[in-house]
Amino acid sequence: MNSFKLEIYATDGCFYNGDCEHLIFGSADGSRGVMAGHEPMICALAKGEIRYLTDGEWNRVAVTEGFVEVMPTYVRLFADTAVKAEEVDEYRARSASARAAERERQRLSTKQYINTNLSLKRAMGHKRH
């Protein structure tokens, strides 16, 4: 058998589920390669790029930390985030945009709180006179 089942999971769901001929990923102690029939192991997944070979074509995926379960007939890779390598810049831009929108929302919320508080103080000050 020249292939094994590869499952890649991220926190937002299953990223990939299919056949694989070769998997390369980073771990705490360096790069690891997996082919069909590999000995069972579990190890930490390092942040970086993984590569997997399907139908003679290499696929590249940027991942964050996680862990990998390797068995002779399948591999399950669990990462916080998995993004196609060519989409990393787009993903970073979307994340930066979301962070900027949240900061703006918080700034407006703080401004509204201050204005409401000042209005309340003015209203209460007018009632005392």
Side-chain angles (χ1 to χ4, degrees), residues 76-89:
R76 289 188 181 128
L77 188 144
F78 299 88
D80 288 332
T81 305
V83 179
K84 289 182 181 178
E86 58 270 15
E87 295 174 1
V88 168
D89 289 339

Side-chain angles (χ1 to χ4, degrees), residues 86-106:
E86 58 270 15
E87 295 174 1
V88 168
D89 289 339
E90 180 184 326
Y91 177 80
R92 285 180 181 157
R94 281 195 313 265
S95 296
S97 176
R99 285 191 304 274
E102 176 61 18
R103 283 192 303 272
E104 180 65 14
R105 188 194 65 74
Q106 288 177 357

Side-chain angles (χ1 to χ4, degrees), residues 3-16:
S3 67
F4 57 92
K5 179 85 160 188
L6 173 62
E7 300 170 20
I8 301 173
Y9 295 98
T11 52
D12 59 352
C14 184
F15 179 85
Y16 176 79

